[in-house]
Amino acid sequence: MSYVERVLDDLKKRNPNEKEFHQAATEILLTLEPVISAHPEYEKAALLERFTEPERVVMFRVAWVDDNGNVQVNKGYRVQFNSAIGPYKGGLRFHPSVNLSVIKFLGLEQILKNSLTGLPIGGGKGGSDFDPKGKSDREIMAFCQSFMTELYRHIGADTDVPAGDIGVGAREVGYLFGQYKRIRNEHVGVLTGRGLSYGGSLMRKEATGYGLIYMTNEAMKQRGYDFKDKTTVVSGSGNVAIYACEKAQQMGAKVVAMCDSNGYIYDENGIDLAVVKQIKEVERGRIKEYANRVNGAKYNEGCKGIWSIPCDVALPCATQNEIDGESAAMLVKNGVKYVGEGANMPSTLEAIEIFQKASDVVFLPAKAANAGGVATSALEMAQSSGRLFWSAEEVDNKLKTIMVNIYHNIDNAAKKYGFAGNYVMGANIAGFEKVAEAMMAHGIV
Ligand code: NDP
């Protein structure tokens, strides 16, 4: 058994019932074999054992009172996974599916993603099994205040800087920040994704979706291809999906489908994004509404069917494991050429294998392709520390440069180890090399 296999085996035994964490660790560690072989000193230093064990896990009770006067209790989490290259950084997810395994998988991915940005940020992730759907504003505020009343003692502008993720947008970040400031009496960059009136950065909202398109476009450019008139499917209709759709459309793509967790819409004339924004960002409604408002658009119950729509470019931007082997095979059969992951781990291991075996499909994995969000969060941290406020153009240009650089770094890393075009390996290796070097420099900690 190789060192990598032994670490994976131990990890599964020591962390039973954490299937998402096992999946992410398997996907990452198996691709690191060539780096591990080149560095025998890593095994002696138990580097992989330390890399896969969070530095700290905080789990806590979140009690709050709903609008009927009933006391509700949720679980809160913050996994401070790795601070070798900078303070922990990673979003908070509020969704009923959240558990320790999900937060650990996201945290592990985040370490490498943050490293890929080239900026000094470590990896962390947190959240709660709280479901914001259908809650009143007052209930959301009560929950966020209770959550922060515990979290505040574990985070800080130079220690751990959370941000949004599924279910945590500008409103939630505002309530969380308000409570932090009230308890600590400090107006500092302790959360990113803040509103523009209290320390946020222009372009943060757009960053993940735009970044995904900048990277996909760079991969296309290298192959003499572009977004013009390319039929594109974007899953989700949240923050990442909306701004991926917006930038893809600006580059000439024809986006024909989007979804939410109930079903998907198909609009052969191209999605009218203003209608989606009105339904999702303003009314917080269901995507189904789109078909009632736009002539010719169709709504289908269930999300899986979205991947049966023939397209040139597929951009999964909803949630983990939304593309399984069957959907991946369908996309390939229908001629997909580019798959860019906007969501975290949206493709199962089986789906990734299918994309990689199809020689004419370019597969851009999440930790590289969706790094634009956290990169812009790091730019928000830089502005906070320097008491600066950069223009949208300045932030957008920096984002573009970062995404183009990440693409070439993962491309070069894949080539360096003899796996040209394998961006899963390229991203894992390029992200890991820097973290490994820093961990080795710090000694056994
Ligand atoms: P949002 O909460 O804004 O949107 C999530 C979208 O995905 C919603 O449309 C939601 O539908 C849909 N969705 C959720 N679960 C499912 C499901 N089981 N099947 C189909 N659709 C589903 O989240 P974000 O856009 O912020 O995040 C989306 C993904 O991108 C996540 O994986 C997140 O971790 C990742 N990500 C986000 C970043 C960011 O900056 N926001 C940065 C990097 C990664 P519904 O409205 O019905 O819930």
Side-chain angles (χ1 to χ4, degrees), residues 147-169:
F147 186 87
M148 186 52 86
T149 302
E150 173 57 33
L151 188 68
Y152 86 91
R153 66 188 91 239
H154 308 290
I155 61 176
D158 294 317
T159 311
D160 183 358
V161 183
D165 189 71
I166 292 181
V168 179

Side-chain angles (χ1 to χ4, degrees), residues 27 31 109 113 116 212 215-216 316 339-347 352 355-356 362-371 403 406-407 410-411 421-429:
E27 187 260 293
T31 62
E109 286 274 310
K113 179 186 313 195
L116 283 174
L212 169 67
M215 178 174 291
T216 310
V339 179
E341 294 190 321
N344 282 314
M345 206 166 77
S347 313
I352 295 174
F355 291 137
Q356 291 196 311
V362 175
F363 177 73
L364 298 166
K367 69 175 69 65
N370 72 22
M403 296 313 293
I406 296 176
Y407 173 71
I410 66 173
D411 190 41
N422 183 335
Y423 299 127
V424 174
M425 289 196 79
N428 288 340
I429 290 172

Side-chain angles (χ1 to χ4, degrees), residues 27-333:
E27 187 260 293
I28 292 170
L29 293 199
L30 291 181
T31 62
L32 297 180
E33 293 268 16
V35 188
I36 302 297
S37 306
H39 292 276
E41 70 277 18
Y42 287 175
E43 181 170 0
K44 190 150 183 289
L47 190 80
L48 288 181
E49 290 88 330
R50 289 188 286 133
F51 174 70
T52 51
E53 187 65 39
E55 289 173 16
R56 191 173 299 104
V57 173
V58 186
M59 290 173 62
F60 49 99
R61 176 175 72 209
V62 189
W64 56 284
V65 179
D66 70 18
D67 285 348
N68 298 319
N70 297 321
V71 177
Q72 302 287 342
V73 181
N74 286 100
K75 287 178 182 292
Y77 303 88
R78 186 72 186 164
V79 173
Q80 298 181 329
F81 220 124
N82 192 303
S83 60
I85 64 170
Y88 311 105
K89 180 93 198 82
L92 296 172
R93 175 176 292 190
F94 292 169
H95 193 272
S97 64
V98 163
N99 56 37
L100 185 58
S101 169
V102 168
I103 300 296
K104 280 172 70 179
F105 117 63
L106 291 164
L108 185 64
E109 286 274 310
Q110 196 82 43
I111 302 169
L112 300 182
K113 179 186 313 195
N114 292 2
S115 168
L116 283 174
T117 65
L119 301 168
I121 38 179
K125 198 83 189 186
S128 171
D129 59 358
F130 171 73
D131 186 0
K133 243 182 243 138
K135 302 289 190 299
S136 70
D137 260 4
R138 194 212 60 82
E139 288 176 320
I140 299 279
M141 183 172 73
F143 176 82
C144 288
Q145 289 181 342
S146 181
F147 186 87
M148 186 52 86
T149 302
E150 173 57 33
L151 188 68
Y152 86 91
R153 66 188 91 239
H154 308 290
I155 61 176
D158 294 317
T159 311
D160 183 358
V161 183
D165 189 71
I166 292 181
V168 179
R171 173 180 59 170
E172 291 75 17
V173 169
Y175 292 146
L176 291 164
F177 182 78
Q179 185 72 350
Y180 180 89
K181 185 173 70 61
R182 178 192 196 187
I183 297 173
R184 294 296 285 252
N185 196 24
E186 275 178 6
H187 199 299
V188 292
V190 70
L191 286 155
T192 56
R194 282 170 289 154
L196 295 179
S197 56
Y198 59 97
S201 173
L202 286 166
M203 299 303 294
R204 174 60 190 88
K205 185 173 68 168
E206 294 85 353
T208 308
Y210 277 24
L212 169 67
I213 302 305
Y214 292 146
M215 178 174 291
T216 310
N217 185 55
E218 189 65 17
M220 289 175 168
K221 209 167 104 189
Q222 206 184 38
R223 292 160 176 86
Y225 202 82
D226 60 31
F227 266 107
K228 184 107 188 58
D229 298 328
K230 299 300 176 315
T231 302
T232 302
V233 168
V234 180
S235 66
S237 47
N239 174 263
V240 180
I242 286 176
Y243 293 95
C245 177
E246 182 167 282
K247 185 52 76 180
Q249 287 181 336
Q250 284 171 12
M251 290 194 174
K254 186 176 178 195
V255 180
V256 295
M258 293 182 83
C259 73
D260 62 19
S261 55
N262 294 114
Y264 69 94
I265 47 164
Y266 174 68
D267 187 343
E268 65 176 351
N269 300 317
I271 296 284
D272 183 339
L273 194 61
V275 176
V276 175
K277 283 186 177 179
Q278 174 65 25
I279 295 169
K280 286 291 173 181
E281 293 188 331
V282 181
E283 299 167 20
R284 295 178 190 274
R286 309 307 302 158
I287 200 77
K288 188 178 183 172
E289 255 309 299
Y290 183 93
N292 298 334
R293 298 186 194 179
V294 178
N295 277 342
K298 294 193 183 75
Y299 173 74
N300 293 280
E301 276 296 323
C303 306
K304 201 172 145 121
I306 198 169
W307 305 120
S308 65
I309 300 170
C311 60
D312 305 297
V313 185
L315 303 172
C317 297
T319 192
Q320 65 263 20
N321 293 328
E322 53 174 310
I323 302 187
D324 59 12
E326 196 187 345
S327 299
M330 179 80 88
L331 280 164
V332 172
K333 184 170 150 256

